[in-house]
Amino acid sequence: MVHRLGSFARPRVLRRVVTIGVATALVLAACGSDNKSNSSSTAAPGGTAGGGGSDKSLVIARQMDVNSLDPSRAYCDTCQIFMTAVYETLIGLDTDNKTLVPRLATSWEANDAQTEFTFHLDPKAKFADGSPVTSADVKFSWERLKGLQGAASYLVSTVQTIDTPDPETVKVTMSQPNSAFLAQVNASYLGIVNSKVAQAQGATADPATDKAETWFLSNSAGSGPFELADYTQGNELRFKRNDNYWGTKSQFPEVIIKETAEAATQRQQLEQGAVDIAMQISNDVAQGMGGSDVTVNPVPSFNYVYLALSPGAVGGDALKKAEVRQAIRLALDYDGLVNVTVGGAGKSQPSPIPNGFAGTDGLAPPKQDVNKAKDLLSQAGETNLTFDATYPTFNVYGVDFSTAMQKVQTDLKAVGIELKLNPVEISVWADKIGKDGIPVTMLYFAPDHTDSSQYVQYFGLLPGSQWQTWAKVDENKDETDLLNQAFAAKDDTSRAKLYNQLAQMMIDDQIIIPVVNPNLFLASRSDIKGMHYSACCNLDLSRLSRG
Amino acid sequence: MPLLLAGIATLVFVISRLTPADPLVSIVGERNLNNPEVVAAAKAQWGLDQSVFVQYVKYMKNLLHGDMGTSFTTRQPVTSDLLDRLPATLELVICALILGVSVGVSLGILAARHRGSIIDGIARFFALLGASLPAFWAGLVLLYVFYAQLGWLPGPGRLDTRDTPPSRITGFYTVDSLLHGDISTFGNAVRHLILPATVLGLGVVGIVTRLVRASLLDEFSLEYVRVARAMGLRERTVVNNHALRNALLPTITIVAFTFAFLITGAVLTETVFSWPGVGNYAVEASRRLDYPAIIGVTILGGIAFLLTNLVSDVAYAFADPRIRLS
């Protein structure tokens, strides 16, 4: 044990070193925090003129869902914000979320058959590197979007050829009439890329040869008011102002979207002033928010959560009877669902086409009728039904799927239908619905653009549509015919009539039952102006300012 | 070691492929799962159109060259993803360990020296509290109290939201900011470490306190301690300079394994504090069934355990001359 008795000095020296080190660190930390608090109130470099801290960075708290920042591959809610900020579309959307307005194109026209669309580009439009936006860039961008077969490529699936008679004219020929094309051009995913820059980085329209995705994760080549500065998955998405922007430059030299998973944390950060905007404030978290520093406005959205019935799924045989599906629709307490899921901050909607889109005027709101539901089940000879209800463990737009499904379970139990709730990860859900199908499930939808056709293409029983395939049911030929008529219709009135018929048909299919259309909470610091919800783009950063 | 890592990779590869789940949903989104062109293009891009055996052979071949594949989620090589995130986790884990070990050892000594007294009771209570408090809950509560209510400490993230990280040298913001002479960013980084390191360190405090207390009590009953006391040495000297050194031997092993575990296991803390580390990456990879990222994180965990095992062996030799001499 001699060695132990002889080693007194070392621990003491070590302890002193550690103590001095920790003390120094704390002093430096304290000094640092003082310096920082001073510096945060001063102007950031490179800002535009303006008082009141107008050139401070704009910081947004958000749980991001980025799948890619390659403009031909990106497809997510955060991607809509990114694309709108960096890659401009030919057509923009006005603040009413309905009117299409010029952006890169000053004007456009379509032929009577809705098969040819001509766009005239603004000669002033230029990319961040100063080069002009030309028809060749439009052709390259849309052909690449279609060729790479990314998730948003369906938006250009009917594009057959793109001609460029001169640098400022783009002529698009469709493979079939498509009256929705102008709305699709407004979708953020149809943003225009600087073709020369992209090609220099290995961008092509062929997935076998395209090498540009990695480059696009840390660089950008658009004409929008911002450029990509930096992106780290799970941390932040940083934009810098495009000082070469051909339109009105943003007040903000920098916009940072910070990854913030919890709504409660988003609220704390907003109230502390660490962020300027909190994007995913749910109804329960919004309670008690406000005051002089923070503004919270609930606004209607086009997003919704729905129940889906699959008659062709394993274990879903009873759903083949229309009476059973109708009974489920009648058994639901729609007001109760809105109250339980979002505390009343939302509404119910009758059809898979959300309220406000063309074709939804005059549709009867869904109503609960328990007695009629029971009668229908008796008529169908189905009194003791049990269904598997596997659903993804989502919490979207403030709606917790487990809470919603528990309410559905309670409502259906009252008419004698038992649901076996089975919450799973989305990848497990996807595997199951793709193989055996799921008799009763829940999912959500948010629009990509402003035309009603997207809902019919996704929810209608068209051959190969998403829900015709998942529900494993026969095509509804009338829906296919009506949609083709809508695509060929030139004027808005006749299109609205056709979509109204389609909406009613989808209600009668009773495959998709919307349960709640939640409000969005626009939560920001009180000095932030221009907060809005955009149907095409989620949040258009160029419309925001401080002052 | 390479064989062990190959074994880990094989095991995780097989388990992830046996899972009844569809990774395509995270690549193309659920809206495109029935779009045959989009699905075919995605499968071809990510090699999912090949048989599982071919995928395995290709993966292992690439792994031999240090290539862990490309993440479905970030679309970046997994190796560079992990190297990007590792410093954030290491910085947090090292701080948590320093905090946890120093507090844990101190409490353990106090508890052992005052066995059966109220001090012992308090120390054991804190140990129990530290070991049993869920990190998720503790994190939210600390954020609410010290950030949202009192405003004493900063919120989530490694720096204040408007700050730009220092140019990367080591990836440790504290070190890099000092190397750049940026005291302001250093202070900011240190302040941001306090809450998450405390939450992560609480668990370490619990383990270390109980271990040091138990080991010290064992040492106190041995002859050399009685001899030291009989020689008239002060109790403080007997404990700190003699008994503690022996009592710390098992603690070295536990701390080493805790360190390795926290490299990939600081999941909840990283989530609550929006800490862009390996744990956060692992969560997202699991959620999206990102095969390459899941296997990459597992291999990293394996490497961490093997290396810390090695380090703890070396540390043992330093701490115990019997091992060094043998």
Side-chain angles (χ1 to χ4, degrees), chain A residues 4-5 7-8 29 33 36 57 67 75 149 151 213 217 233 238 259 265 269 272 274 276 425 427 446 448 466, chain B residues 20-22 28 30-32 34 37 74-75 85 147-148 156 161-163 184 187 191 241-242 245-246 274 284 287:
Chain A
R4 294 192 183 100
L5 297 174
S7 56
F8 292 164
S33 74
K36 192 52 64 181
S57 304
N67 74 320
Y75 191 67
Q149 289 294 339
E213 185 172 22
L217 285 166
Q233 187 267 337
R238 201 175 272 256
E259 177 75 35
T265 312
Q269 290 195 298
Q272 287 288 320
D276 298 301
E425 280 298 318
S427 51
D448 289 333
Q466 188 82 313
Chain B
D22 187 354
V28 303
E30 66 267 12
R31 280 197 205 176
N32 279 291
N34 290 332
E37 290 86 14
T74 66
R75 316 279 168 134
R85 285 156 180 78
Y147 170 57
T161 48
R162 288 184 173 81
D163 270 6
S184 166
R191 291 171 69 244
N241 296 351
H242 302 293
R245 189 160 178 183
N246 290 325
S274 302
E284 201 58 20
R287 213 171 57 79

Short mmCIF file of all heavy atoms in Angstrom, two decimals, chain A residues 4-5 7-8 29 33 36 57 67 75 149 151 213 217 233 238 259 265 269 272 274 276 425 427 446 448 466, chain B residues 20-22 28 30-32 34 37 74-75 85 147-148 156 161-163 184 187 191 241-242 245-246 274 284 287:
data_model
loop_
_atom_site.label_atom_id
_atom_site.label_comp_id
_atom_site.label_asym_id
_atom_site.label_seq_id
_atom_site.Cartn_x
_atom_site.Cartn_y
_atom_site.Cartn_z
N ARG A 4 0.12 4.16 -2.35
CA ARG A 4 -1.05 5.01 -2.07
C ARG A 4 -0.68 6.13 -1.10
O ARG A 4 -1.15 7.22 -1.22
CB ARG A 4 -2.18 4.18 -1.47
CG ARG A 4 -2.73 3.16 -2.44
CD ARG A 4 -4.01 2.58 -1.90
NE ARG A 4 -4.49 1.57 -2.80
CZ ARG A 4 -4.33 0.27 -2.62
NH1 ARG A 4 -3.71 -0.18 -1.56
NH2 ARG A 4 -4.77 -0.60 -3.51
N LEU A 5 0.24 5.77 -0.15
CA LEU A 5 0.59 6.77 0.86
C LEU A 5 1.49 7.86 0.28
O LEU A 5 1.60 8.94 0.82
CB LEU A 5 1.31 6.10 2.04
CG LEU A 5 0.47 5.09 2.80
CD1 LEU A 5 1.33 4.38 3.85
CD2 LEU A 5 -0.72 5.76 3.46
N SER A 7 1.20 9.47 -2.69
CA SER A 7 0.69 10.22 -3.85
C SER A 7 -0.28 11.32 -3.42
O SER A 7 -1.38 11.42 -3.91
CB SER A 7 -0.01 9.26 -4.81
OG SER A 7 -1.03 8.58 -4.11
N PHE A 8 0.14 12.15 -2.53
CA PHE A 8 -0.75 13.20 -2.02
C PHE A 8 -0.88 14.38 -2.98
O PHE A 8 -1.95 14.93 -3.16
CB PHE A 8 -0.20 13.74 -0.69
CG PHE A 8 -0.26 12.76 0.45
CD1 PHE A 8 0.49 12.99 1.58
CD2 PHE A 8 -1.05 11.61 0.39
CE1 PHE A 8 0.45 12.09 2.65
CE2 PHE A 8 -1.09 10.73 1.43
CZ PHE A 8 -0.33 10.94 2.57
N ALA A 29 -17.98 32.77 -19.79
CA ALA A 29 -19.38 32.59 -20.20
C ALA A 29 -20.21 33.80 -19.84
O ALA A 29 -21.01 34.29 -20.62
CB ALA A 29 -19.97 31.34 -19.55
N SER A 33 -22.00 36.26 -22.36
CA SER A 33 -23.44 36.50 -22.40
C SER A 33 -23.73 37.99 -22.39
O SER A 33 -24.64 38.46 -23.04
CB SER A 33 -24.14 35.80 -21.23
OG SER A 33 -23.88 36.49 -20.05
N LYS A 36 -23.06 39.28 -25.75
CA LYS A 36 -24.06 38.84 -26.71
C LYS A 36 -25.36 39.63 -26.57
O LYS A 36 -25.96 40.04 -27.54
CB LYS A 36 -24.32 37.35 -26.49
CG LYS A 36 -25.10 36.69 -27.58
CD LYS A 36 -24.56 36.92 -28.96
CE LYS A 36 -23.20 36.35 -29.18
NZ LYS A 36 -22.70 36.63 -30.52
N SER A 57 -32.11 39.45 -38.08
CA SER A 57 -32.54 38.21 -38.74
C SER A 57 -33.96 37.88 -38.32
O SER A 57 -34.40 38.22 -37.22
CB SER A 57 -31.64 37.06 -38.30
OG SER A 57 -30.30 37.36 -38.58
N ASN A 67 -37.42 16.61 -47.05
CA ASN A 67 -36.96 15.36 -47.64
C ASN A 67 -35.80 15.62 -48.61
O ASN A 67 -34.98 14.75 -48.85
CB ASN A 67 -38.11 14.63 -48.36
CG ASN A 67 -38.48 15.30 -49.67
OD1 ASN A 67 -38.52 16.51 -49.75
ND2 ASN A 67 -38.74 14.52 -50.70
N TYR A 75 -40.35 17.76 -51.47
CA TYR A 75 -41.81 17.59 -51.36
C TYR A 75 -42.18 17.47 -49.89
O TYR A 75 -42.14 16.39 -49.30
CB TYR A 75 -42.24 16.33 -52.12
CG TYR A 75 -43.75 16.22 -52.29
CD1 TYR A 75 -44.44 17.11 -53.09
CD2 TYR A 75 -44.46 15.22 -51.66
CE1 TYR A 75 -45.81 17.02 -53.25
CE2 TYR A 75 -45.83 15.11 -51.81
CZ TYR A 75 -46.50 16.01 -52.60
OH TYR A 75 -47.86 15.92 -52.76
N GLN A 149 -38.82 12.00 -61.65
CA GLN A 149 -39.91 11.27 -61.01
C GLN A 149 -39.87 11.42 -59.48
O GLN A 149 -40.08 10.45 -58.74
CB GLN A 149 -39.88 9.78 -61.39
CG GLN A 149 -40.28 9.51 -62.82
CD GLN A 149 -41.74 9.82 -63.11
OE1 GLN A 149 -42.56 9.88 -62.20
NE2 GLN A 149 -42.06 10.08 -64.36
N ALA A 151 -41.34 13.18 -55.90
CA ALA A 151 -42.70 13.09 -55.36
C ALA A 151 -43.64 14.14 -55.97
O ALA A 151 -44.84 13.91 -56.07
CB ALA A 151 -42.65 13.25 -53.85
N GLU A 213 -28.08 16.45 -56.57
CA GLU A 213 -28.85 16.59 -55.32
C GLU A 213 -27.97 17.05 -54.15
O GLU A 213 -28.37 17.90 -53.36
CB GLU A 213 -29.56 15.29 -54.96
CG GLU A 213 -30.45 15.48 -53.73
CD GLU A 213 -31.35 14.31 -53.42
OE1 GLU A 213 -31.05 13.18 -53.86
OE2 GLU A 213 -32.36 14.51 -52.72
N LEU A 217 -28.20 20.60 -51.68
CA LEU A 217 -28.42 20.60 -50.23
C LEU A 217 -27.65 21.71 -49.52
O LEU A 217 -27.90 22.01 -48.36
CB LEU A 217 -28.04 19.23 -49.64
CG LEU A 217 -29.04 18.11 -49.91
CD1 LEU A 217 -28.43 16.76 -49.60
CD2 LEU A 217 -30.31 18.31 -49.10
N GLN A 233 -29.78 19.09 -41.28
CA GLN A 233 -30.98 18.36 -40.89
C GLN A 233 -31.04 18.23 -39.37
O GLN A 233 -30.04 17.98 -38.71
CB GLN A 233 -30.95 16.96 -41.55
CG GLN A 233 -32.21 16.15 -41.36
CD GLN A 233 -32.13 15.25 -40.15
OE1 GLN A 233 -31.06 14.92 -39.70
NE2 GLN A 233 -33.29 14.90 -39.61
N ARG A 238 -31.06 27.85 -43.09
CA ARG A 238 -30.68 29.26 -43.04
C ARG A 238 -30.72 29.86 -44.46
O ARG A 238 -30.13 29.30 -45.38
CB ARG A 238 -29.27 29.36 -42.46
CG ARG A 238 -28.89 30.70 -41.88
CD ARG A 238 -27.51 30.59 -41.23
NE ARG A 238 -27.59 30.17 -39.84
CZ ARG A 238 -27.44 30.99 -38.79
NH1 ARG A 238 -27.20 32.26 -38.99
NH2 ARG A 238 -27.53 30.53 -37.56
N GLU A 259 -35.01 24.14 -35.99
CA GLU A 259 -35.73 22.90 -35.68
C GLU A 259 -36.18 22.95 -34.21
O GLU A 259 -35.36 23.03 -33.30
CB GLU A 259 -34.79 21.70 -35.89
CG GLU A 259 -35.41 20.36 -35.53
CD GLU A 259 -36.40 19.87 -36.57
OE1 GLU A 259 -36.19 20.12 -37.76
OE2 GLU A 259 -37.38 19.23 -36.17
N THR A 265 -42.26 24.25 -26.49
CA THR A 265 -40.96 24.92 -26.59
C THR A 265 -41.03 26.07 -27.59
O THR A 265 -40.44 27.12 -27.38
CB THR A 265 -39.87 23.91 -27.00
OG1 THR A 265 -39.98 22.76 -26.18
CG2 THR A 265 -38.48 24.50 -26.86
N GLN A 269 -40.03 29.90 -26.69
CA GLN A 269 -39.05 30.66 -27.46
C GLN A 269 -39.66 31.95 -28.02
O GLN A 269 -39.00 32.98 -28.06
CB GLN A 269 -38.48 29.81 -28.58
CG GLN A 269 -37.59 28.68 -28.06
CD GLN A 269 -36.76 28.07 -29.16
OE1 GLN A 269 -37.30 27.51 -30.11
NE2 GLN A 269 -35.46 28.16 -29.05
N GLN A 272 -40.12 34.42 -25.18
CA GLN A 272 -38.83 34.96 -24.72
C GLN A 272 -38.18 35.87 -25.77
O GLN A 272 -37.17 36.49 -25.50
CB GLN A 272 -37.87 33.80 -24.41
CG GLN A 272 -38.19 33.04 -23.15
CD GLN A 272 -37.88 33.83 -21.90
OE1 GLN A 272 -36.88 34.52 -21.82
NE2 GLN A 272 -38.77 33.78 -20.92
N ALA A 274 -36.76 34.75 -28.48
CA ALA A 274 -35.67 34.04 -29.16
C ALA A 274 -36.05 33.75 -30.60
O ALA A 274 -35.17 33.60 -31.46
CB ALA A 274 -35.36 32.73 -28.43
N ASP A 276 -39.08 34.78 -33.82
CA ASP A 276 -40.08 35.77 -34.22
C ASP A 276 -41.41 35.13 -34.58
O ASP A 276 -42.45 35.77 -34.50
CB ASP A 276 -39.57 36.57 -35.42
CG ASP A 276 -38.31 37.34 -35.09
OD1 ASP A 276 -38.36 38.17 -34.18
OD2 ASP A 276 -37.28 37.10 -35.74
N GLU A 425 -45.98 3.39 -36.39
CA GLU A 425 -45.18 4.34 -37.14
C GLU A 425 -45.67 4.36 -38.59
O GLU A 425 -46.17 3.35 -39.09
CB GLU A 425 -43.70 3.96 -37.10
CG GLU A 425 -43.00 4.37 -35.83
CD GLU A 425 -42.97 5.87 -35.61
OE1 GLU A 425 -42.74 6.62 -36.57
OE2 GLU A 425 -43.20 6.30 -34.46
N SER A 427 -44.14 4.17 -41.38
CA SER A 427 -43.55 3.17 -42.28
C SER A 427 -44.24 1.81 -42.10
O SER A 427 -44.41 1.06 -43.07
CB SER A 427 -42.04 3.05 -42.03
OG SER A 427 -41.78 2.86 -40.67
N ALA A 446 -52.98 18.13 -47.10
CA ALA A 446 -52.77 19.58 -47.27
C ALA A 446 -52.58 19.83 -48.76
O ALA A 446 -51.94 19.03 -49.44
CB ALA A 446 -51.55 20.05 -46.50
N ASP A 448 -51.42 21.14 -52.51
CA ASP A 448 -50.19 21.57 -53.18
C ASP A 448 -50.43 22.80 -54.03
O ASP A 448 -49.51 23.53 -54.37
CB ASP A 448 -49.66 20.45 -54.09
CG ASP A 448 -49.10 19.29 -53.29
OD1 ASP A 448 -48.65 19.52 -52.16
OD2 ASP A 448 -49.13 18.15 -53.80
N GLN A 466 -54.87 7.08 -55.51
CA GLN A 466 -54.33 6.61 -54.23
C GLN A 466 -55.36 5.79 -53.46
O GLN A 466 -55.09 4.67 -53.01
CB GLN A 466 -53.89 7.83 -53.39
CG GLN A 466 -53.14 7.48 -52.15
CD GLN A 466 -51.66 7.20 -52.44
OE1 GLN A 466 -51.31 6.49 -53.36
NE2 GLN A 466 -50.80 7.77 -51.64
N PRO B 20 -41.69 -5.41 -40.55
CA PRO B 20 -42.78 -5.20 -41.51
C PRO B 20 -43.10 -3.73 -41.68
O PRO B 20 -44.05 -3.21 -41.10
CB PRO B 20 -43.95 -5.96 -40.87
CG PRO B 20 -43.65 -5.94 -39.41
CD PRO B 20 -42.18 -5.89 -39.25
N ALA B 21 -42.26 -3.04 -42.42
CA ALA B 21 -42.43 -1.60 -42.61
C ALA B 21 -41.89 -1.22 -43.98
O ALA B 21 -41.07 -1.94 -44.55
CB ALA B 21 -41.67 -0.85 -41.52
N ASP B 22 -42.36 -0.09 -44.50
CA ASP B 22 -42.01 0.32 -45.85
C ASP B 22 -41.22 1.63 -45.81
O ASP B 22 -41.79 2.68 -45.54
CB ASP B 22 -43.31 0.51 -46.66
CG ASP B 22 -43.02 0.77 -48.12
OD1 ASP B 22 -41.84 0.92 -48.47
OD2 ASP B 22 -43.98 0.83 -48.91
N VAL B 28 -40.69 8.93 -50.76
CA VAL B 28 -41.59 9.53 -51.74
C VAL B 28 -42.80 10.20 -51.09
O VAL B 28 -43.57 10.88 -51.77
CB VAL B 28 -42.08 8.48 -52.78
CG1 VAL B 28 -40.91 7.82 -53.48
CG2 VAL B 28 -42.97 7.41 -52.14
N GLU B 30 -46.31 9.63 -48.37
CA GLU B 30 -47.41 8.67 -48.46
C GLU B 30 -48.33 8.95 -49.65
O GLU B 30 -49.01 8.07 -50.14
CB GLU B 30 -48.23 8.63 -47.16
CG GLU B 30 -48.98 9.88 -46.80
CD GLU B 30 -48.18 10.80 -45.91
OE1 GLU B 30 -46.96 10.58 -45.74
OE2 GLU B 30 -48.77 11.77 -45.39
N ARG B 31 -48.28 10.19 -50.17
CA ARG B 31 -49.15 10.52 -51.29
C ARG B 31 -48.74 9.84 -52.58
O ARG B 31 -49.51 9.78 -53.53
CB ARG B 31 -49.14 12.02 -51.53
CG ARG B 31 -50.01 12.76 -50.58
CD ARG B 31 -50.27 14.15 -51.12
NE ARG B 31 -50.59 15.04 -50.03
CZ ARG B 31 -50.79 16.33 -50.18
NH1 ARG B 31 -50.69 16.88 -51.35
NH2 ARG B 31 -51.09 17.07 -49.14
N ASN B 32 -47.49 9.40 -52.65
CA ASN B 32 -47.01 8.83 -53.91
C ASN B 32 -46.82 7.32 -53.85
O ASN B 32 -46.25 6.74 -54.78
CB ASN B 32 -45.69 9.49 -54.29
CG ASN B 32 -45.92 10.83 -54.94
OD1 ASN B 32 -46.43 10.91 -56.06
ND2 ASN B 32 -45.59 11.88 -54.23
N ASN B 34 -48.73 4.98 -54.33
CA ASN B 34 -49.41 4.24 -55.39
C ASN B 34 -49.10 4.80 -56.77
O ASN B 34 -49.78 4.49 -57.74
CB ASN B 34 -50.93 4.25 -55.17
CG ASN B 34 -51.29 3.40 -53.97
OD1 ASN B 34 -50.60 2.45 -53.64
ND2 ASN B 34 -52.38 3.75 -53.30
N GLU B 37 -44.59 5.13 -61.28
CA GLU B 37 -43.36 5.73 -61.82
C GLU B 37 -42.47 6.27 -60.71
O GLU B 37 -41.26 6.05 -60.68
CB GLU B 37 -43.68 6.87 -62.81
CG GLU B 37 -44.30 6.43 -64.12
CD GLU B 37 -45.82 6.30 -64.03
OE1 GLU B 37 -46.40 6.81 -63.03
OE2 GLU B 37 -46.43 5.68 -64.92
N THR B 74 -31.35 12.55 -45.02
CA THR B 74 -30.56 13.76 -45.29
C THR B 74 -30.01 13.78 -46.71
O THR B 74 -29.53 14.81 -47.15
CB THR B 74 -29.36 13.84 -44.33
OG1 THR B 74 -28.48 12.75 -44.62
CG2 THR B 74 -29.80 13.76 -42.87
N ARG B 75 -30.05 12.65 -47.39
CA ARG B 75 -29.50 12.50 -48.76
C ARG B 75 -27.99 12.76 -48.78
O ARG B 75 -27.44 13.17 -49.79
CB ARG B 75 -30.19 13.45 -49.75
CG ARG B 75 -31.70 13.51 -49.61
CD ARG B 75 -32.34 12.35 -50.30
NE ARG B 75 -33.75 12.22 -49.97
CZ ARG B 75 -34.73 12.02 -50.83
NH1 ARG B 75 -34.46 11.92 -52.11
NH2 ARG B 75 -35.96 11.86 -50.44
N ARG B 85 -22.41 15.36 -36.69
CA ARG B 85 -23.21 15.42 -35.45
C ARG B 85 -22.46 14.97 -34.21
O ARG B 85 -22.84 15.32 -33.09
CB ARG B 85 -24.47 14.57 -35.63
CG ARG B 85 -25.50 15.23 -36.50
CD ARG B 85 -26.45 14.24 -37.14
NE ARG B 85 -27.44 14.91 -37.97
CZ ARG B 85 -27.20 15.37 -39.20
NH1 ARG B 85 -25.99 15.25 -39.72
NH2 ARG B 85 -28.15 15.97 -39.88
N TYR B 147 -35.68 28.88 -18.14
CA TYR B 147 -35.69 29.63 -19.40
C TYR B 147 -36.97 30.46 -19.52
O TYR B 147 -36.92 31.68 -19.60
CB TYR B 147 -35.55 28.65 -20.57
CG TYR B 147 -35.79 29.26 -21.92
CD1 TYR B 147 -35.04 30.34 -22.36
CD2 TYR B 147 -36.77 28.74 -22.78
CE1 TYR B 147 -35.26 30.92 -23.60
CE2 TYR B 147 -36.99 29.31 -24.02
CZ TYR B 147 -36.24 30.39 -24.43
OH TYR B 147 -36.46 30.95 -25.65
N ALA B 148 -38.12 29.75 -19.49
CA ALA B 148 -39.37 30.46 -19.77
C ALA B 148 -39.79 31.39 -18.63
O ALA B 148 -40.25 32.50 -18.86
CB ALA B 148 -40.48 29.47 -20.06
N PRO B 156 -33.51 26.07 -26.01
CA PRO B 156 -32.94 24.96 -26.77
C PRO B 156 -31.90 25.41 -27.81
O PRO B 156 -31.84 26.58 -28.15
CB PRO B 156 -34.15 24.37 -27.48
CG PRO B 156 -35.34 24.92 -26.80
CD PRO B 156 -34.94 26.24 -26.25
N THR B 161 -30.58 31.78 -30.99
CA THR B 161 -31.13 31.53 -32.31
C THR B 161 -30.54 32.40 -33.41
O THR B 161 -30.45 31.98 -34.55
CB THR B 161 -32.66 31.74 -32.29
OG1 THR B 161 -32.93 32.98 -31.65
CG2 THR B 161 -33.35 30.63 -31.54
N ARG B 162 -30.16 33.62 -33.08
CA ARG B 162 -29.66 34.51 -34.13
C ARG B 162 -28.15 34.41 -34.32
O ARG B 162 -27.58 35.10 -35.16
CB ARG B 162 -30.06 35.96 -33.82
CG ARG B 162 -31.52 36.22 -34.02
CD ARG B 162 -31.91 37.66 -33.81
NE ARG B 162 -33.31 37.85 -34.17
CZ ARG B 162 -34.33 37.54 -33.39
NH1 ARG B 162 -34.12 37.03 -32.21
NH2 ARG B 162 -35.57 37.72 -33.79
N ASP B 163 -27.50 33.59 -33.53
CA ASP B 163 -26.05 33.48 -33.62
C ASP B 163 -25.60 32.55 -34.73
O ASP B 163 -26.26 31.57 -35.03
CB ASP B 163 -25.47 32.96 -32.30
CG ASP B 163 -25.16 34.11 -31.37
OD1 ASP B 163 -25.49 35.24 -31.73
OD2 ASP B 163 -24.59 33.87 -30.29
N SER B 184 -17.49 35.89 -26.91
CA SER B 184 -18.94 36.03 -26.85
C SER B 184 -19.63 34.71 -27.22
O SER B 184 -20.52 34.24 -26.50
CB SER B 184 -19.36 37.14 -27.83
OG SER B 184 -20.72 37.10 -28.04
N GLY B 187 -19.07 32.04 -24.50
CA GLY B 187 -19.99 32.20 -23.37
C GLY B 187 -21.38 31.71 -23.71
O GLY B 187 -22.03 31.01 -22.91
N ARG B 191 -23.29 28.60 -21.85
CA ARG B 191 -24.61 28.79 -21.22
C ARG B 191 -25.63 27.81 -21.79
O ARG B 191 -26.50 27.31 -21.09
CB ARG B 191 -25.07 30.24 -21.40
CG ARG B 191 -24.22 31.22 -20.58
CD ARG B 191 -24.51 32.66 -20.91
NE ARG B 191 -25.83 33.06 -20.46
CZ ARG B 191 -26.81 33.44 -21.26
NH1 ARG B 191 -26.63 33.47 -22.55
NH2 ARG B 191 -27.97 33.78 -20.78
N ASN B 241 -7.27 10.23 -0.15
CA ASN B 241 -6.01 9.82 -0.76
C ASN B 241 -5.79 8.31 -0.76
O ASN B 241 -4.92 7.82 -1.47
CB ASN B 241 -4.83 10.49 -0.05
CG ASN B 241 -4.87 12.01 -0.23
OD1 ASN B 241 -5.68 12.52 -0.99
ND2 ASN B 241 -4.03 12.70 0.51
N HIS B 242 -6.54 7.59 0.03
CA HIS B 242 -6.31 6.13 0.09
C HIS B 242 -7.53 5.34 -0.33
O HIS B 242 -7.51 4.66 -1.35
CB HIS B 242 -5.86 5.75 1.51
CG HIS B 242 -4.61 6.48 1.92
ND1 HIS B 242 -3.40 6.26 1.33
CD2 HIS B 242 -4.40 7.45 2.85
CE1 HIS B 242 -2.49 7.06 1.87
NE2 HIS B 242 -3.08 7.79 2.81
N ARG B 245 -9.26 6.15 -3.91
CA ARG B 245 -8.56 5.71 -5.11
C ARG B 245 -8.93 4.27 -5.46
O ARG B 245 -9.10 3.93 -6.64
CB ARG B 245 -7.05 5.85 -4.89
CG ARG B 245 -6.30 5.62 -6.16
CD ARG B 245 -4.92 6.21 -6.10
NE ARG B 245 -4.21 5.92 -7.32
CZ ARG B 245 -2.97 6.26 -7.54
NH1 ARG B 245 -2.31 6.91 -6.62
NH2 ARG B 245 -2.38 5.96 -8.67
N ASN B 246 -9.04 3.45 -4.46
CA ASN B 246 -9.44 2.06 -4.72
C ASN B 246 -10.93 1.96 -5.04
O ASN B 246 -11.34 1.18 -5.90
CB ASN B 246 -9.13 1.19 -3.51
CG ASN B 246 -7.64 1.00 -3.34
OD1 ASN B 246 -6.92 0.92 -4.32
ND2 ASN B 246 -7.17 0.99 -2.10
N SER B 274 -33.48 20.34 -28.63
CA SER B 274 -33.19 20.57 -30.05
C SER B 274 -31.68 20.55 -30.29
O SER B 274 -31.14 21.44 -30.95
CB SER B 274 -33.77 21.90 -30.52
OG SER B 274 -35.15 21.94 -30.31
N GLU B 284 -34.64 10.34 -35.83
CA GLU B 284 -35.20 10.61 -37.16
C GLU B 284 -34.99 9.40 -38.08
O GLU B 284 -35.88 9.04 -38.85
CB GLU B 284 -34.51 11.86 -37.74
CG GLU B 284 -35.28 12.56 -38.83
CD GLU B 284 -36.66 13.01 -38.43
OE1 GLU B 284 -36.96 13.16 -37.23
OE2 GLU B 284 -37.48 13.20 -39.34
N ARG B 287 -37.51 6.74 -37.10
CA ARG B 287 -38.87 7.14 -37.47
C ARG B 287 -39.11 6.95 -38.97
O ARG B 287 -40.17 6.54 -39.39
CB ARG B 287 -39.06 8.62 -37.09
CG ARG B 287 -40.46 8.99 -36.66
CD ARG B 287 -40.50 10.41 -36.11
NE ARG B 287 -40.01 11.41 -37.03
CZ ARG B 287 -40.71 11.91 -38.04
NH1 ARG B 287 -41.92 11.49 -38.28
NH2 ARG B 287 -40.20 12.83 -38.82
#
